[in-house]
Amino acid sequence: MSRIAARLAQRRGEGRRALATFITAGDPTLDATVPALQALVRGGADIVELGVPFSDPEAEGPSIQRSSERALANGVALADVLQVATAFRRVDADTPVVLMGYLNPLLRMGYEAFAKRAAAAGVDGVILVNLPPEEADAAQTTLAARGLDLIFLVAPTTRRERAEHIAARASGFIYYVSLKGVTGARHLDVADVERGVAALRAVSDLPVLVGFGIRDAESARAVAARADGVVVGSALADAMGERATCPERIPAALESWLRPVREAIDER
Amino acid sequence: MPARNDPPYAAPDAAGRFGSYGGRFVAETLAHALEALTSLYETLRDDAGFRQALAEDLSSYVGRPTPLYLAQRLTAQVGGAKLYLKREDLNHTGAHKINNTVGQALLAKRMGKPRVIAETGAGQHGVATATVAARLGLECRVFMGATDIERQRLNVYRMELLGAEVVAVESGSRTLKDAMNEAMRDWVTNVDTTHYIIGSVAGPHPYPMMVRDFQAVIGQESRAQCLEAEGRLPDLLVACVGGGSNAMGLFHPFLDDAGVDMVGVEAAGLGLATNRHAAPLNAGSPGVLHGQHTYLMQTDDGQIMETHSVSAGLDYPGVGPEHSHLKDLGRVRYAAATDAEALAAFRTLNRAEGIMPALESSHAVAWAMQEAARRPASDIIIVNLSGRGDKDIDVVAGLGGDSAP
Ligand SMILES: Cc1ncc(COP(=O)(O)O)c(C=O)c1O
């Protein structure tokens, strides 16, 4: 069983919800990333999403745009992200790592070369924001051959027939986008999320993790009660941005930000 | 070049692919809106009522047909092939952009969407969008890079007079590509109420096809006008290529005419060897940006590069996917003109013909003049004069282009 499936099955078995975190690799420096990931795991993260910085992050709000810009200012490339993943895997054998970003850097490296290097780095899955299922055949086949999950997104605007089609080819988990908007948006509506997740459950048995717009323990608690887990990102990007000039203070800040979120989703 | 018995040109396919280019690489939230737009457009394009409404708007509001003008003094000065100018600068609002916004505004109305958004570089597409929004009573927001706002002040003021809100985009290179990112973010957020009027043959399916179809009126008219004036088709078509809409509009109706050569002129900026240009078809490689697979200016790591051109409307690191396809097919050739060549052509056309071209269009004029000199007087060249240059007077004056040639 893959690390992703194992971790999500374990949480399901315990009757607990999963917590996934997103930070951009190389923000604010490459050296800061592994300590940040370890701090997130200490704070309660079940899955760590590692952002691959991109010059044109179309679906991101200002927080994650800026984290991508900070990483790119350091010249961080996909090859560097894979090295960070390798270094993290050396100190953490169990926590699933999911790379998240936009298609072009992968396309440029080549799907085959990327899949090989990502598998060797101990990466478990990939989320590509601008790769919808219609365009995903080649990427998914190549990644699957190396044991990597291509994780698809479903949005509030996704119609039922399309959701069925996505569910039929999804693996790992389904990422439900909580709202119409960019990451970090502030108009989360829990009733909408409940309806969306319920509709998704009607067509898929895969775990559903909900992201976009979850900013604190309260919103995490409310959403976790209606899904298999939550993803937090923009708030972490802000915390890192505030400490960009003193990266040694990032791990403690991330850990103490995340712990109450973990507690909130565990209490429900 | 296709032989006589080749099947007629038919791209894109149902998935919006032009060969291996195009497609629909967008965030899931937009998938439904793009599907709905595609099926509405496919129904309406064959609908007699819609075609009638569009034709009426194009004649009574835009001012079509535009003339195909024989530039006699320019031809004599260059000393070679006959140069005709397709006068898109004479359209209402001063560029070809309105051919597309009139069509998309009709679609927005049919969809019952009360709000439209647009990205703009030179401001011409923003003005054309603000104009149709004012006419139909739609709310309008235009995204424009902060750098472009500086160099195209006149158009910013025009958009505001028309009642549009102009949003300065400060991220990335602060030009057209960043404006497009920001427009996509707005669309994701307001997709229920908003239609995104993309201004070129770029972006996810159906935009490259739909915008091309709306712009094809340029080529349809040119074809009939050339037959009327000369009794035969032209030998060569020349148009500048930013996203590529004025070029696709001119070229498309001629693609099955094997004897008609076509050249798209990209912005060579400070020179193709400098990396300070905006010429992905000349110096880029395929990748995915803004929903489309196409030639891009990108680094070895797959990051999109910052571009440079004296003309804001050509300052874009990608290009419409159909041009990528036509390049690989060898059906269209892609050349480039530098900032300096475009500025010289801007001056020349003013003096020779009393016509002030947009800096974008000046790239096509510059290359066509060089090519005309290499061709016999019996050849016919049509240059797409995509817009007028009033908006560029500040830039040209700032670069000393107002002095005598
Ligand atoms: C006059 C004019 N020509 C050309 C362009 C470039 O766009 P396209 O290549 O889509 O025709 C612009 C864009 O702003 C323009 O204003």
Side-chain angles (χ1 to χ4, degrees):
Chain A
M1 198 189 279
S2 76
R3 284 188 199 92
I4 295 173
R7 177 61 59 99
L8 292 172
Q10 182 194 343
R11 287 290 172 265
R12 239 185 206 183
E14 296 163 354
R16 291 170 75 200
R17 302 305 195 231
L19 177 57
T21 56
F22 171 97
I23 61 170
T24 303
D27 171 24
T29 66
L30 274 173
D31 289 343
T33 303
V34 171
L37 292 173
Q38 290 181 284
L40 291 168
V41 172
R42 284 196 302 276
D46 290 310
I47 296 175
V48 291
E49 292 178 7
L50 195 50
V52 180
F54 184 53
S55 51
D56 294 81
E58 290 154 16
E60 314 304 337
S63 300
I64 293 178
Q65 283 177 47
R66 282 195 290 266
S67 80
S68 208
E69 282 170 12
R70 288 191 295 270
L72 288 175
N74 297 327
V76 172
L78 180 53
D80 301 307
V81 180
L82 291 169
Q83 274 183 10
V84 168
T86 306
F88 175 70
R89 195 44 87 220
R90 269 192 222 116
V91 297
D92 185 325
D94 304 322
T95 306
V97 174
V98 175
L99 299 193
M100 180 162 182
Y102 292 78
L103 181 59
N104 203 51
L106 265 75
L107 213 49
R108 187 72 183 170
M109 181 176 277
Y111 290 150
E112 183 58 46
F114 168 78
K116 192 171 163 192
R117 291 168 71 172
V123 170
D124 303 286
V126 181
I127 303 175
L128 293 167
V129 178
N130 61 345
L131 186 67
E134 294 82 356
E135 310 283 358
D137 285 345
Q140 192 172 25
T141 309
T142 312
L143 292 171
R146 302 273 176 189
L148 296 163
D149 289 321
L150 181 60
I151 289 151
F152 289 104
L153 299 103
V154 169
T157 50
T158 307
R159 296 302 193 264
R160 183 182 168 112
E161 201 181 315
R162 192 178 159 83
E164 280 171 2
H165 173 65
I166 295 173
R169 61 186 298 167
S171 64
F173 59 89
I174 294 179
Y175 190 130
Y176 183 71
V177 176
S178 68
L179 47 76
K180 293 170 202 146
V182 294
T183 49
R186 290 173 187 267
H187 53 275
L188 184 73
D189 180 328
V190 174
D192 282 352
V193 173
E194 181 163 342
R195 263 192 301 279
V197 174
L200 199 45
R201 290 220 195 281
V203 300
S204 174
D205 294 330
L206 279 177
V208 177
L209 270 57
V210 180
F212 283 44
I214 298 167
R215 306 198 50 85
D216 50 27
E218 266 330 292
S219 49
R221 184 201 316 269
V223 172
R226 294 157 174 87
D228 295 290
V230 298
V231 188
V232 291
S234 294
L236 298 172
D238 289 341
M240 296 176 77
E242 283 158 19
R243 294 165 184 82
T245 54
C246 46
E248 68 285 354
R249 284 162 50 192
I250 287 175
L254 296 187
E255 187 179 341
S256 62
W257 187 88
L258 196 62
R259 181 154 291 134
V261 175
R262 172 87 250 176
E263 285 162 6
I265 71 170
D266 281 345
E267 285 162 13
R268 276 186 289 125
Chain B
M1 200 179 293
R4 281 239 176 279
N5 52 1
D6 276 354
Y9 181 86
D13 67 13
R17 290 212 183 75
F18 302 88
S20 62
Y21 300 103
R24 194 183 269 163
F25 296 87
V26 293
E28 177 59 26
T29 310
L30 294 176
H32 177 72
L34 290 167
E35 277 168 18
L37 179 62
T38 305
S39 62
L40 177 73
Y41 173 66
E42 282 174 346
T43 309
L44 288 183
R45 77 174 157 193
D46 302 320
D47 177 277
F50 180 78
R51 293 168 69 106
Q52 174 79 21
L54 182 59
E56 273 167 21
D57 281 358
L58 288 176
S59 76
S60 66
Y61 190 66
V62 176
R64 302 203 72 92
T66 59
L68 183 68
Y69 167 74
L70 175 59
Q72 277 176 309
R73 289 227 320 143
L74 187 69
T75 299
Q77 195 172 316
V78 167
K82 240 185 209 177
L83 285 163
Y84 277 92
L85 303 177
K86 180 59 175 166
R87 297 291 307 276
E88 292 301 298
D89 59 314
L90 295 177
N91 285 326
H92 180 42
T93 70
H96 69 293
K97 296 288 181 186
I98 197 159
N99 301 329
N100 167 44
T101 60
V102 160
Q104 288 202 46
L106 288 176
L107 291 177
K109 262 305 214 216
R110 292 275 183 136
M111 289 185 283
K113 298 209 167 170
R115 178 174 182 270
V116 293
I117 55 171
E119 84 295 338
T120 197
Q124 287 301 125
H125 174 58
V127 168
T129 302
T131 297
V132 296
R135 177 166 177 250
L136 296 181
L138 302 169
E139 189 187 335
C140 178
R141 178 186 279 183
V142 179
F143 295 92
M144 190 166 182
T147 301
D148 293 338
I149 286 186
E150 284 309 314
R151 56 180 166 170
Q152 307 275 239
R153 281 252 156 240
L154 177 68
N155 275 342
V156 176
Y157 188 55
R158 284 172 78 190
M159 287 184 267
E160 287 168 354
L161 283 175
L162 289 160
E165 179 195 356
V166 181
V167 177
V169 177
E170 298 283 355
S171 56
S173 56
R174 307 158 88 232
T175 58
L176 184 52
K177 86 171 169 74
D178 312 286
M180 195 147 174
N181 290 335
E182 212 50 44
M184 302 269 255
R185 292 178 188 126
D186 182 302
W187 200 28
V188 157
T189 307
N190 300 297
V191 62
D192 293 335
T193 59
T194 300
H195 174 59
Y196 179 14
I197 302 188
I198 293 184
S200 194
V201 287
H205 182 59
Y207 287 98
M209 169 182 80
M210 179 174 75
V211 177
R212 173 200 74 194
D213 292 351
F214 287 139
Q215 292 292 0
V217 66
I218 302 172
Q220 287 152 7
E221 286 176 8
S222 298
R223 204 166 194 288
Q225 290 165 322
C226 188
L227 286 171
E228 167 86 25
E230 295 281 348
R232 69 179 185 87
L233 293 178
D235 299 289
L236 174 66
L237 308 174
V238 182
C240 67
V241 176
S245 66
N246 85 89
M248 255 350 288
L250 177 63
F251 296 168
H252 188 258
F254 292 93
L255 284 173
D256 287 328
D257 297 308
V260 180
D261 290 343
M262 304 176 193
V263 173
V265 183
E266 295 192 304
L270 303 181
L272 290 180
T274 64
N275 257 349
R276 302 277 296 139
H277 60 78
L281 291 166
N282 279 273
S285 56
V288 166
L289 176 70
H290 295 151
Q292 60 195 327
H293 184 232
T294 193
Y295 277 83
L296 300 174
M297 295 195 36
Q298 57 180 324
T299 66
D300 291 343
D301 306 324
Q303 305 295 340
I304 308 307
M305 286 164 61
E306 296 198 1
T307 52
H308 164 82
S309 170
V310 70
S311 78
L314 303 185
D315 209 348
Y316 179 64
V319 64
E322 191 162 16
H323 287 291
S324 297
H325 179 52
L326 292 169
K327 171 192 158 76
D328 284 7
L329 285 179
R331 179 65 185 94
V332 179
R333 195 149 62 85
Y334 293 89
T338 63
D339 288 354
E341 289 168 331
L343 284 161
F346 177 95
R347 287 198 290 270
T348 303
L349 197 61
N350 269 283
R351 297 295 175 101
E353 297 288 349
I355 293 172
M356 181 182 294
L359 281 176
E360 290 79 12
S361 325
S362 300
H363 287 72
V365 175
W367 191 87
M369 283 166 53
Q370 293 169 19
E371 178 65 14
R374 293 189 281 263
R375 288 185 176 238
S378 55
D379 270 15
I380 300 167
I381 300 178
I382 297 178
V383 184
N384 201 4
L385 204 74
S386 56
R388 68 177 189 228
D390 311 47
K391 69 185 179 60
D392 296 314
I393 287 179
D394 287 349
V395 171
V396 173
L399 293 171
D402 52 342
S403 54

